[in-house]
Structures are given as structure tokens and as C-alpha cells.
Amino acid sequence: MSESPGSSAESGDRPLVRLEHVNKHFGELHVLNDINLDVTRGEVVIVIGPSGSGKSTLCRAINRLETIDDGVIEIDGVRLPEEGKPLAQLRADVGMVFQSFNLFAHKTILENVTLGPIKVRGLPKAQAREEAMALLERVGIANQAQKYPAALSGGQQQRVAIARSLAMRPKVMLFDEPTSALDPEMINEVLDVMTDLAKEGMTMIVVTHEMGFARKAANRVVFMADGLIQEEATPEEFFTNPQSERAKDFLSKIL
Ligand code: ADP
Ligand code: MG
């Protein structure tokens, strides 16, 4: 007898994020070229590659900030809605942290974290505050809860942005170059939070060139160039023995 779709056995095995034959053009530019990518629950996938290779577009497509031309993207077995369909649930399932922190400047740190849970998850204020304080504690910012974003360093703001995303209880977290805008001395405090998150079992897709983090936290490296996934490997394999010329060339420039 065959398993019916959605049975518990199947939902336990199926990828949390699935991209099948995803294509996207910007005019003439084939920015995502037949992308196939499965991310299993609890997996940490690093996406690496030269500037302009389509990494941000990939993240934005998974979070449905961009539509795709063809192919399928599924989150936990649910196909991404077409244009015009409600996106609130999807956006709650897929957390995203950008290079720029994008905090609400005129709201306190605490309000930044409680806003989504109150508005989208419908949590009572007191419960939202309690959960937010626990998350701020987790990222080491609880003592700054009443401040405004401008009073915090870049590293602290990015940690708040991570807490804000987590407050929506996402199934997967996307990070698009989360440390690229930070002063060097603040990079590790953000990577440490991400490493903890990975250890706790969060499913993560992380665009970064931080090799120390990749080696410590990633299960898999996906190397993109020219809109194509050129190769996939463990961090150890990829950084010590890249297969494609594109990857060798890229690594020679960043190592
Ligand atoms: P990466 O994050 O790897 O640097 P991006 O996904 O940001 O790459 O961009 C891939 C390519 O798509 C780049 O050539 C970029 O200029 C182009 N691009 C990105 N967004 C748009 C857009 N909204 N309109 C037109 N071209 C875009
Ligand atoms: Mg980018």
C-alpha cells in the first residue's frame, strides 16, 4: 500500500525547503538557471559565490519577495503561492535576515521584536513581551530592550534583527550576508548567535563568505555562479578540494 501524501512518515522525510527546476530572468539576464535544491529539517546550507551570481535572488525567491518564471518552490510541503495569494503565513514560516538590519527606527528594541507576533501571530501583548524578552536574552541584548535601534552598535542591531525573525517562530531562517555590513570586531558576535541557532537545530540557508562559520556550522556548501549551482559539497571538501574551475578561481580570490 502506498503512503498517502502528508502522512507523518512522509512529512518527517520530505525536505523542509524544496526548489525544483526554478528559473528566473531579469530581462535578458538568466539570474536563476534551473535551480534544484532540497534542504532537510535541521540542515545548515551555506550559499557562496561571486557577486551577481544570484544568491540574493535565490533567498528572495524562497521568501517570495521575488516571483519566479517557472519551477516549484515548496516550504514544508506547501507550494509557494502564486501572485496575489496571501503571503502572511509563508512569511511567518520563512524568517529572513538581511545585510542591512532594517529595524524600525522609531520603535524600541522590544517593540521591534513584539510587533510581528502581535500583528501577525495574534499574540496578546503580555505574552509577546515575555517571548521577546526571552529571545533578546538569547541573543544577549535583553538589557537594551527599551533603547531605540540608533543607540545600538551594528552587531547588536543585527542580533535584534535575528531575534525579531525568530519571534515569528519560522520553520527556516534565511540569512543574506548578515555580517557584510558590520565592522570586523562585530562579526563574531553575530556569527556566534547563528552558530548557537544551528546547534539548536534550526534549518538555515546562509549566504556568507565567512569560512570559519561555514566550517563550524554548515552541513553543506552550495557554490553558485552565473545563476547556476556549480557544485555542492561538505565545507571541508569544498574549501580544501573544490572541483570546478569557477570555484577554484573564486576561492583563490577570497582565501
Ligand atoms: P548576488 O546576491 O549573488 O550578488 P543577486 O541575486 O543580487 O546576486 O543579483 C544577480 C544578478 O541579478 C545581478 O546581475 C543583479 O544586477 C541582477 N538583479 C538583481 N535584482 C535585480 C532586479 N530587481 N532587476 C534587475 N536585475 C536585478
Ligand atoms: Mg547578494
Side-chain angles (χ1 to χ4, degrees):
M1 215 174 78
S2 66
E3 291 272 353
S4 62
S7 72
S8 58
E10 181 150 326
S11 67
D13 295 344
R14 75 171 170 230
L16 188 56
V17 179
R18 160 167 278 173
L19 284 83
E20 270 175 35
H21 302 296
V22 169
N23 285 285
K24 165 92 185 165
H25 292 78
F26 286 122
E28 295 288 290
L29 181 70
H30 202 166
V31 61
L32 297 178
N33 189 343
D34 195 34
I35 299 289
N36 293 285
L37 180 68
D38 281 355
V39 181
T40 54
R41 219 170 284 272
E43 197 180 14
V44 177
V45 173
I46 301 287
V47 181
I48 192 168
S51 177
S53 54
K55 307 180 300 295
S56 292
T57 307
L58 179 75
C59 289
R60 293 171 56 82
I62 294 169
N63 201 20
R64 242 310 239 105
L65 294 167
E66 297 278 3
T67 55
I68 54 176
D69 300 342
D70 52 75
V72 175
I73 301 179
E74 282 180 7
I75 309 294
D76 206 7
V78 178
R79 192 174 168 153
L80 252 60
E82 307 299 331
E83 198 98 50
K85 298 254 181 73
L87 287 170
Q89 184 56 49
L90 166 76
R91 295 259 163 79
D93 284 348
V94 182
M96 183 146 174
V97 173
F98 302 86
Q99 182 173 331
S100 52
F101 327 123
N102 295 330
L103 297 177
F104 302 113
H106 301 293
K107 299 204 177 289
T108 65
I109 297 308
L110 182 62
E111 288 165 347
N112 264 276
V113 182
T114 56
L115 196 68
I118 293 169
K119 289 215 162 155
V120 180
R121 287 177 55 208
L123 279 195
K125 268 188 183 165
Q127 193 185 340
R129 253 189 236 127
E130 201 173 305
E131 288 189 15
M133 286 309 296
L135 285 167
L136 288 172
E137 192 77 52
R138 192 162 146 194
V139 301
I141 310 280
N143 57 351
Q144 319 265 21
Q146 299 309 328
K147 293 186 181 166
Y148 286 85
L152 271 59
S153 72
Q156 291 173 326
Q157 289 188 54
Q158 193 62 306
R159 287 187 277 151
V160 174
I162 294 171
R164 183 176 61 172
S165 273
L166 292 175
M168 297 304 287
R169 304 239 178 116
K171 292 178 175 170
V172 53
M173 285 283 290
L174 310 177
F175 294 85
D176 190 1
E177 304 208 31
T179 59
S180 299
L182 296 176
D183 292 333
E185 74 272 20
M186 293 170 187
I187 290 175
N188 279 333
E189 66 192 60
V190 172
L191 294 177
D192 286 348
V193 167
M194 292 167 61
T195 305
D196 286 347
L197 205 52
K199 278 192 198 135
E200 288 159 22
M202 177 59 78
T203 309
M204 294 163 60
I205 299 175
V206 184
V207 180
T208 185
H209 296 166
E210 293 292 338
M211 255 130 352
F213 170 76
R215 280 210 155 101
K216 219 179 334 175
N219 302 108
R220 181 155 51 119
V221 171
V222 168
F223 175 71
M224 276 186 84
D226 302 329
L228 288 157
I229 294 181
Q230 308 270 351
E231 63 181 274
E232 292 183 51
T234 65
E236 201 53 43
E237 281 164 0
F238 180 75
F239 291 118
T240 55
N241 190 20
Q243 299 298 306
S244 65
E245 286 309 315
R246 283 308 295 268
K248 286 178 195 166
D249 180 56
F250 175 72
L251 287 173
S252 74
K253 285 173 181 145
I254 65 161
L255 286 175

